[in-house]
Structures are given as structure tokens and as C-alpha cells.
DNA sequence: CCGACAACCTGACGGC
DNA sequence: TGCCGTCAGGTTGTCG
């Protein structure tokens, strides 16, 4: 469940059980996920009150009244499960609150991880320091996109997956945004940025398409793929609104377009697009 | 500096 | 039914 809309939805779902609540139990159930759990995670979080929940790109942020923030990343298969009947073998971190709520960070592939640092040091957290703007924030504009992509020879698809250009997009939403903007994923990135002065129409269309698809997905509660339902607040249905992702062989949904969605591989990852209306 | 690619893990699915 | 290959929402490090 791991691109920006899914993390946004996850964080929203964690507010009710966590915000303003005290953590009475913090229990890693193994030494590591993709990275080791911080050695002092339990000691620094137990007894603390959660003051706010937030999101940066695909990272969730849980701040406490002791000046710490727990950072979590869901990797490919991670999600939070609230008040499950029993503990799953892939529940790697358990939290319990003063209200008796039980939360489990479940991640079969273990590409996710947890970190802990002083809230005041968030800006210098390496992953954040190198990160581009939030696509739904004020800094992400057509003009920014144009500047960030000029001189870039790589395909636009690869550039949009680069978190240093824009932070929070993943494979699904890049494919979807490029389709909405009618831009080919194979197009050289700099070609939407050529010429000085005003942004080109394609840069405008792309920035707009990115914001639109993310907002639509958040409204739908994100996308739920192979990891099934569950997680009290976590039933996203945006996968039903995919226009190209995982739809190879289907008719292109663009009005008046007679194309068929194709799957190609770019830099080891699947790309879905319409060769007819995406130029 | 840039781009390509392997590695980290488990599970689901299709083909034989 | 079972075994095997392939693929999956991400990130990071290495190599040329």
C-alpha cells in the first residue's frame, strides 16, 4: 500500500487510535525490517503521548510529547492493522495505547522500516534533506517541473519516479499521471522543459495531472491491490479507477481514442500506457 | 554527474 | 497437487 495517497490514507486512519493517546506498549517482534529498529525505540516511546500524525512523501510521521518523531515507511507490502483478532507472523512492531487499542505494523516483504529521531532534526533526516517538493504542496508548479527536468536525457517516467524531483509518486501514479497528461512515458524528460520563459503546455498538463490523480486517489482512500481488505479504515478503491495501470490489452479510456493499453518495461519496472494518445 | 541494474524479502499466480 | 518461474505499490548501493 505504499504510494503517497496510500500513506496519506494510512496516516489519517491512525489519528483516531493514536492522536492524543499515550503509548503503553511498544514492542518490536524482530530486530529489523529493511533496517534495524532503533535500539532505544521502546524506551523512548513507551509512556509518551502522541501529539500529531503527519506525512512526508511516502513516509508517515508520529510525533510525541517527548520531542521525538517515529518515522515509518511501508515499503511495498506494509500496512498498519488496527485491533486485529490475533498477531500475524508478519506483524513486526506492536503498539498499545492507554485506551487499549492495538496497532500492528504488518509487512510480509519487510521492505519497510521504522526510524526515530528528535522532531527538531526532521529537516536533516537524510531521506528528507535530498527530497523534492510535495506534489500537492505550493512549491510544485509547472515552472518548477520545467526547471527540474531541463537538461535531463532520461525518460520522463524515470524522472517522475525519482524522489529528488518530486516526492511521493510511485509506479502506479506516474503511469496514471502521464496518461492523463497524454505524455508518453518514453519521452525524453527535457522535452517538456525546452525553451526559456513560460512553462510549455506539457509541463502545465503534467503538473495538473499529477495533482489531479493524487487528489482523486486520496478521495477514494488510496488503492488496494493484492493485500486484501481489512485494516478498519483502510479499504481504498481507487484501483477501480486506474486508466492504464495493470490494464494491458484493454481499450484506452481516453475519449475518442482507439488505442489499446500496452505494457512495456522501463528500467526493470512495468509501464502501462496508450501508444496512440500519449505522445 | 548520469543511468542501468542487483539486492533486499515474501506471496500470489500461471503453466506444466 | 506440486514445483518452478515470474511478477509485485520502493529504496539504496555499486558499477561503468
Amino acid at each position: 500500500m505504499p504510494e503517497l495517497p496510500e500513506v496519506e490514507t494510512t496516516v489519517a486512519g491512525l489519528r483516531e487510535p493514536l492522536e492524543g493517546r499515550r503509548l503503553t506498549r511498544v514492542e518490536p517482534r524482530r530486530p529489523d525490517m529493511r533496517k534495524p529498529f532503533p535500539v532505544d525505540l521502546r524506551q523512548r516511546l513507551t509512556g509518551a503521548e502522541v501529539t500529531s500524525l503527519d506525512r512526508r512523501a511516502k513516509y508517515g510521521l508520529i510525533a510525541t510529547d517527548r520531542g521525538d518523531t517515529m518515522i515509518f515507511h511501508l515499503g511495498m507490502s506494509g500496512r498498519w492493522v488496527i485491533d486485529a483478532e490475533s498477531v500475524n507472523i508478519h506483524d513486526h512492531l506492536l503498539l498499545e495505547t492507554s485506551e487499549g487499542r492495538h496497532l500492528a505494523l504488518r509487512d510480509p516483504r519487510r521492505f519497510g522500516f521504522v526510524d526515530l529521531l528528535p522532531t527538531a532534526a526532521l529537516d536533516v533526516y537524510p531521506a528528507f534533506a535530498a527530497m523534492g517538493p510535495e506534489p500537492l504542496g505550493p512549491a510544485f508548479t509547472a515552472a518548477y517541473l520545467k526547471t527540474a527536468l531541463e537538461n535531463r536525457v532520461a525518460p520522463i517516467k524515470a524522472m517522475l519516479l525519482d524522489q529528488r524531483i518530486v516526492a511521493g509518486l510511485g509506479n502506479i501514479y506516474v503511469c496514471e499521471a502521464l496518461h492523463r497528461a497524454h505524455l508518453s512515458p518514453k519521452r525524453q524528460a527535457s522535452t517538456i522543459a525546452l525553451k526559456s520563459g513560460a512553462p510549455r503546455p506539457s509541463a502545465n498538463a503534467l503538473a495538473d495531472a499529477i495533482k489531479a490523480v493524487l487528489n482523486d486517489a486520496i478521495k477514494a482512500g488510496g488503492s488496494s491491490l493484492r493485500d486484501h481488505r481489512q485494516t478498519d479504515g483502510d479499504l481504498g478503491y481507487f484501483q477501480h479507477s486506474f486508466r492504464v495501470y495493470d490494464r494491458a490489452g484493454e481499450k484506452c479510456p481516453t475519449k475518442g481514442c482507439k488505442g489499446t493499453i500496452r505494457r512495456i518495461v522501463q528500467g526493470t519496472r512495468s509501464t502501462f500506457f496508450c501508444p496512440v494518445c500519449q505522445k
Side-chain angles (χ1 to χ4, degrees):
Chain A
M1 312 208 22
E3 296 183 43
L4 185 154
E6 290 73 36
V7 180
E8 180 73 23
T9 302
T10 296
V11 166
L14 291 175
R15 285 212 175 89
E16 191 272 323
L18 282 183
E19 199 165 50
R21 321 293 185 186
R22 199 162 292 283
L23 298 172
T24 52
R25 183 163 158 246
V26 177
E27 186 189 341
R29 309 197 72 247
R30 50 172 297 127
D32 56 21
M33 294 211 283
R34 183 155 68 78
K35 309 198 240 185
F37 284 107
V39 285
D40 51 356
L41 185 74
R42 181 202 301 252
Q43 180 257 315
R44 277 162 69 185
L45 291 181
T46 305
E49 182 186 311
V50 173
T51 51
S52 64
L53 288 108
D54 229 318
R55 176 192 60 73
R56 173 75 172 107
K58 303 174 193 173
Y59 295 74
L61 307 174
I62 302 176
T64 75
D65 63 350
R66 293 189 184 166
D68 288 320
T69 289
M70 184 179 106
I71 299 175
F72 67 85
H73 194 289
L74 298 173
M76 294 274 262
S77 57
R79 62 191 177 112
W80 281 96
V81 180
I82 300 168
D83 294 332
E85 298 268 313
S86 57
V87 176
N88 181 278
I89 54 166
H90 300 301
D91 292 346
H92 308 308
L93 175 66
L94 303 181
L95 303 180
E96 193 174 330
T97 71
S98 41
E99 283 69 29
R101 306 299 295 274
H102 292 76
L103 297 94
L105 179 55
R106 184 174 299 176
D107 185 1
R109 293 180 74 181
R110 259 183 282 137
F111 286 178
F113 61 90
V114 165
D115 242 330
L116 183 67
L117 72 159
T119 303
L122 273 184
D123 288 346
V124 295
Y125 187 65
F128 295 165
M131 212 168 253
E134 286 287 326
L136 296 178
F140 184 70
T141 61
Y144 164 78
L145 203 48
K146 175 183 154 315
T147 304
L149 296 179
E150 61 195 3
N151 308 321
R152 294 309 217 102
V153 178
I156 184 74
K157 160 89 186 299
M159 291 295 92
L160 295 180
L161 284 174
D162 186 335
Q163 304 296 296
R164 293 169 299 187
I165 304 282
V166 54
L169 298 180
N171 206 33
I172 292 177
Y173 296 106
V174 167
C175 290
E176 292 295 313
L178 286 169
H179 181 264
R180 289 184 184 217
H182 303 300
L183 291 169
S184 168
K186 296 187 281 191
R187 178 198 269 258
Q188 186 173 306
S190 63
T191 65
I192 77 153
L194 288 175
K195 308 268 174 22
S196 55
R200 308 190 80 204
S202 52
N204 279 306
L206 183 53
D208 289 349
I210 288 169
K211 294 177 200 207
V213 72
L214 293 176
N215 280 320
D216 287 354
I218 290 169
K219 266 183 229 153
S223 307
S224 304
L225 268 49
R226 40 214 122 252
D227 53 61
H228 311 292
R229 56 213 97 242
Q230 241 60 27
T231 318
D232 289 14
D234 232 347
L235 15 141
Y237 53 90
F238 192 70
Q239 65 278 12
H240 303 302
S241 302
F242 291 167
R243 299 186 188 182
V244 290
Y245 186 81
D246 208 17
R247 295 200 183 282
E250 296 183 27
K251 187 181 169 305
C252 175
T254 298
K255 199 168 186 185
C257 180
K258 299 277 192 241
T260 301
I261 308 304
R262 281 229 297 143
R263 172 187 181 270
I264 61 171
V265 174
Q266 289 181 289
T268 75
R269 307 200 64 189
S270 288
T271 297
F272 298 90
F273 76 112
C274 172
V276 176
C277 71
Q278 289 182 252
K279 295 300 181 192

